[in-house]
Amino acid sequence: MGNGWFRKGKGPQEFPEGLWIQCENPKCRELLFIREWERNLKVCRKCQYHFRLSGAERAALLTDPGTFIEHDAGLESRNPLNFPKYNDSLERYRRETGQSDAIVSGDGQCEGIPFSLAVTDARFMMGSMGSVVGERLTRSVERATQNGWPVVLVSGTGGGARMQEGILALMQMAKTSGAIAHHHAAGLLTVVILTHPSMAGVLASWGSLGDVILAEPGAMIGFVGQRVSKQAQVSKVPSDFQTAEFQLAHGQVDRVVPRKDLKATLATLFEFAGYTPVARPDAVSTGSGE
Amino acid sequence: MSAGSIDDFEQPIADLEAQIERVKRLTREHGLDRNDEIAQLEQQVQRLITERYSNLSGWDKTRIARNARRPYTLDFIRLMLSDFTELHGDRVFGDDGAMIGGVGKLGDQWVTVVGQQKGRDAQERHKRNFGMARPEGYRKALRLMQLSEKFNRPILCLVDTPAADCTVPSEERGISEAIARTIRDMFLLKVPVLVVILGEGGSGGAIGIGVGDRVLMLEHAIYSVIPPEGCAAIIWRDSSRGPEAAEALQLTAQHALRFGVVDEVVSEPVGGAHRDYDEAARQLRTALERNLAELSSLTPERLLENRYERFRKLGQFVDTAANGAG
């Protein structure tokens, strides 16, 4: 809407007073009262559009209050290729997000059951996976393997492997998958949650390696961007191509789960897999990899 | 100049070679003794080739790696293995012509080989889908690798692909899952796995069969997270700036060796593998046999541990909290 009524910015458009926000879904554009929208976990009450969450918000959503302990927050990319403008981008995104890279990872509890968590954050360079994302996610899986815990991996990655880190970014696909291989071989549970967007190198590695794969409604999920895949073929692209619902229909995800039900679904899966709550909430801070 | 052609920088070489042919024909047809001149010209050609191929840019290598005269997976299989028996199909949906699989003997050693296959003419390119494997290809590859594990035979993965197939049907059948599962399960194979980047190591399509105990790379092959043209289109919104992107991406075998992404660069004949298939295959076979011999003494547990550690250490970062390097 170009009438100047709404503040222009990167995030959702807000009224000047910061009381209202407009739904990002172009087919909806409903005005939402911010406090109500936040209570509704940043989901549009009218069309159920799921706004993006930050890594910290996602951790808060999936863990019991006060149990999440972040790990490895100090890891920063070294710009191994000395790639043009990469340092500037990293600096800008660090300022904007307050994070060192496109990931938040750590340990927490879900209904008292300890688990490791890694969340990629689409607000930081499209959530793309370079050395830092790969390393922190790998360490999360390794902590879970060492502790005999389940691991939950949440993708908000539109960019796939981060091209500014060249071949080392591609190797993160192997590294993360290797960690999952050994977690898997130890008989432990991996749950993947695909949020908007989940694409490319992340989907072709850890994003597809959940024992159970959940997806948020309407999330874009696919191998390569639609622009590329349209060029590559003569056949028509279905209207729901690369949505969570499309992937559900084609057997690639187990369930499409609304945001408000994600934590309960995790708890159900943890219980099914035989994990039990710990007695004390602070027990989770022992045996960490730091 | 298209990225699949190396004709421009090989033109002076081709011109000289044509001249030699002319002089040789004259010698034959007219009985003239021009042997001195021929020898001189041949020396000149060798000098030119050596000079040209000792100073290649990332973009030059991109074009060499993609060149249709370059030996492909089936060429190397034919020249290195005996008793090759191709095996087909993923047991789920179909058979993928872009991914070759089968069993054969490397010297006295039975091995399983999988790898992407490109085509040289229109018909073959269609059949091979330009070397872009579909979900069926990765599932076939993994099935055959697990067959090899069952009978304790080493595995050879030959990588030569621009990318994995990204069409709607491949998406519908789970191309991402097929690649991801293959990567994951390759970490658990209890037999030696050797990977060779023969030509193009194209992003997810390459790493999809790229997990091994040793990763070798031919001297003029490339291994990249994204095609240079695609990178240029994203960064500069101009896909014609591929040459610059090829430099920025550091996609050559020599770079990959420095990053620890490959363990060994296998020399090609002077002037590139396309100039002498036999010699290229001979050098690769020697390197493969040596690596297999080195791995043969390891227990399966040790093999898996080393394989994980090999990939585990890849990446560069600093830990600002710990004030040390990662």
Side-chain angles (χ1 to χ4, degrees):
Chain A
M1 313 202 58
N3 57 13
W5 241 59
F6 301 99
R7 192 195 301 161
K8 267 200 91 120
K10 286 237 171 241
Q13 294 184 320
E14 294 175 21
F15 262 83
E17 296 89 342
L19 285 175
W20 298 86
I21 190 169
Q22 191 179 32
C23 181
E24 285 177 351
N25 179 358
K27 290 180 196 139
C28 177
R29 292 297 189 197
E30 178 79 352
L31 282 176
L32 305 164
F33 189 47
I34 283 183
R35 252 193 301 179
E36 189 196 350
W37 167 71
E38 284 174 344
R39 253 200 318 275
N40 202 29
L41 307 171
K42 300 195 173 176
V43 175
C44 173
R45 62 177 158 76
K46 189 179 173 208
C47 74
Q48 306 303 312
Y49 176 83
H50 284 51
F51 286 69
R52 289 178 191 181
L53 295 183
S54 70
E57 287 171 324
R58 186 63 68 178
L61 177 80
L62 298 175
T63 56
D64 300 337
T67 64
F68 182 71
I69 295 163
E70 188 170 3
H71 284 246
D72 311 315
L75 298 200
E76 289 187 2
S77 170
R78 283 183 54 195
N79 190 5
L81 273 56
N82 209 4
F83 202 89
K85 295 182 185 161
Y86 183 35
N87 284 333
D88 296 343
S89 296
L90 286 170
E91 270 313 309
R92 193 173 75 246
Y93 284 108
R94 281 176 194 145
R95 267 201 314 277
E96 279 177 16
T97 62
Q99 293 167 198
S100 77
D101 211 299
I103 184 166
V104 168
S105 63
D107 298 334
Q109 294 177 10
C110 172
E111 303 301 334
I113 297 170
F115 70 104
S116 294
L117 175 68
V119 181
T120 53
D121 192 332
R123 300 171 312 150
F124 195 113
M125 292 190 80
M126 296 275 281
S128 58
M129 178 163 64
S131 297
V132 172
V133 169
E135 179 69 19
R136 286 186 66 176
L137 192 129
T138 298
R139 289 188 188 183
S140 296
V141 176
E142 287 178 339
R143 282 197 310 280
T145 307
Q146 279 157 20
N147 292 317
W149 292 346
V151 66
V152 177
L153 308 173
V154 185
S155 155
T157 297
R162 186 177 294 168
M163 69 182 176
Q164 289 86 347
E165 293 194 20
I167 194 68
L168 287 173
L170 190 75
M171 292 301 115
Q172 305 309 308
M173 291 174 67
K175 180 162 114 181
T176 54
S177 300
I180 295 170
H182 288 282
H183 185 261
H184 174 71
L188 301 166
L189 173 71
T190 300
V191 180
V192 164
I193 302 176
L194 302 174
T195 73
H196 181 71
S198 291
M199 306 291 292
V202 159
L203 194 67
S205 61
W206 56 269
S208 291
L209 293 176
D211 295 298
V212 177
I213 301 177
L214 309 176
E216 282 196 338
M220 186 167 75
I221 300 166
F223 183 52
V224 300
Q226 299 202 17
R227 206 158 38 92
V228 181
S229 49
K230 267 177 193 158
Q231 282 170 356
Q233 57 210 326
V234 283
S235 60
K236 246 185 84 186
V237 176
S239 62
D240 68 341
F241 187 56
Q242 293 182 334
T243 60
E245 293 72 17
F246 171 93
Q247 298 295 1
L248 179 74
H250 289 93
Q252 301 304 321
V253 306
D254 287 274
R255 283 180 80 81
V256 174
V257 181
R259 188 169 287 166
K260 65 178 170 53
D261 298 331
L262 277 175
K263 191 182 172 201
T265 307
L266 278 189
T268 301
L269 294 168
F270 286 2
E271 196 183 323
F272 160 79
Y275 298 101
T276 50
V278 289
R280 290 165 52 82
D282 61 349
V284 74
S285 63
T286 64
S288 80
E290 284 200 332
Chain B
M1 185 57 56
S2 102
S5 164
I6 52 175
D7 291 344
D8 59 344
F9 71 76
E10 289 222 335
Q11 196 56 53
I13 300 167
D15 289 347
L16 262 181
E17 281 172 338
Q19 197 182 335
I20 292 169
E21 273 315 301
R22 257 198 321 275
V23 177
K24 278 184 176 167
R25 203 176 54 237
L26 283 175
T27 310
R28 266 195 319 273
E29 287 171 4
H30 304 286
L32 301 169
D33 182 10
R34 307 275 290 269
N35 284 336
D36 284 356
E37 190 184 347
I38 290 169
Q40 207 182 3
L41 283 170
E42 279 175 342
Q43 264 181 9
Q44 214 176 324
V45 165
Q46 281 312 312
R47 259 205 316 276
L48 203 56
I49 291 172
T50 307
E51 190 186 294
R52 191 66 197 89
Y53 275 81
S54 64
N55 186 26
L56 294 166
S57 69
W59 184 245
D60 292 336
K61 296 228 184 202
T62 302
R63 292 185 296 168
I64 294 166
R66 290 173 177 173
N67 194 277
R69 282 184 278 156
R70 193 168 175 84
Y72 288 155
T73 293
L74 278 173
D75 298 313
F76 280 104
I77 288 176
R78 175 172 53 81
L79 294 168
M80 295 193 308
L81 301 184
S82 57
D83 299 302
F84 177 67
T85 306
E86 191 175 355
L87 302 170
H88 294 272
D90 71 343
R91 299 290 193 275
V92 179
F93 178 82
D95 185 46
D96 185 2
M99 185 76 82
I100 298 290
V103 301
K105 281 168 92 171
L106 187 72
D108 294 331
Q109 174 67 57
W110 278 101
V111 298
T112 295
V113 57
V114 301
Q116 293 97 350
Q117 175 66 26
K118 294 179 177 177
R120 289 205 172 82
D121 57 35
Q123 197 186 351
E124 187 72 9
R125 282 185 180 133
H126 176 74
K127 179 180 172 188
R128 304 298 182 190
N129 197 32
F130 299 85
M132 298 187 291
R134 290 158 280 218
E136 303 76 81
Y138 291 97
R139 289 177 183 136
K140 168 169 72 175
L142 182 60
R143 179 177 78 81
L144 295 177
M145 289 191 245
Q146 288 169 340
L147 172 76
S148 202
E149 181 185 34
K150 181 172 176 179
F151 297 102
N152 199 26
R153 302 299 191 197
I155 296 161
L156 193 52
C157 301
L158 304 179
V159 176
D160 189 14
T161 180
D165 185 67
C166 64
T167 58
V168 171
S170 280
E171 188 74 65
E172 288 173 333
R173 298 196 294 274
I175 182 67
S176 300
E177 193 273 351
I179 291 172
R181 178 185 296 265
T182 309
I183 296 173
R184 183 192 72 180
D185 289 354
M186 287 183 82
F187 276 100
L188 301 174
L189 293 165
K190 294 190 184 74
V191 292
V193 182
L194 299 182
V195 176
V196 189
I197 315 295
L198 290 180
E200 266 187 291
S203 61
I207 193 65
I209 55 166
V211 177
D213 303 298
R214 300 280 165 84
V215 181
L216 281 52
M217 191 159 167
L218 295 200
E219 186 181 350
H220 302 311
I222 60 168
Y223 201 2
S224 185
V225 67
I226 186 171
E229 297 91 334
C231 177
I234 294 172
I235 294 187
W236 299 298
R237 304 191 187 287
D238 181 0
S239 61
S240 70
R241 291 173 71 177
E244 282 166 80
E247 295 312 308
L249 286 166
Q250 304 190 16
L251 42 61
T252 69
Q254 293 69 30
H255 288 112
L257 184 69
R258 214 172 305 145
F259 288 129
V261 168
V262 307
D263 305 287
E264 184 177 333
V265 175
V266 180
S267 299
E268 295 185 25
V270 175
H274 57 281
R275 229 168 270 283
D276 190 344
Y277 281 24
D278 292 319
E279 178 57 17
R282 195 193 61 75
Q283 297 205 20
L284 178 57
R285 183 181 153 176
T286 305
L288 290 172
E289 288 181 334
R290 174 167 37 74
N291 278 283
L292 273 187
E294 286 166 15
L295 293 168
S296 65
S297 62
L298 299 177
T299 64
E301 293 73 26
R302 198 56 200 272
L303 213 51
L304 262 57
E305 206 176 295
N306 292 356
R307 193 181 303 153
Y308 182 61
E309 284 307 317
R310 190 202 169 283
F311 284 88
R312 178 68 187 84
K313 64 177 194 287
L314 297 178
Q316 290 187 17
F317 52 86
V318 286
D319 192 343
T320 55
N323 227 0

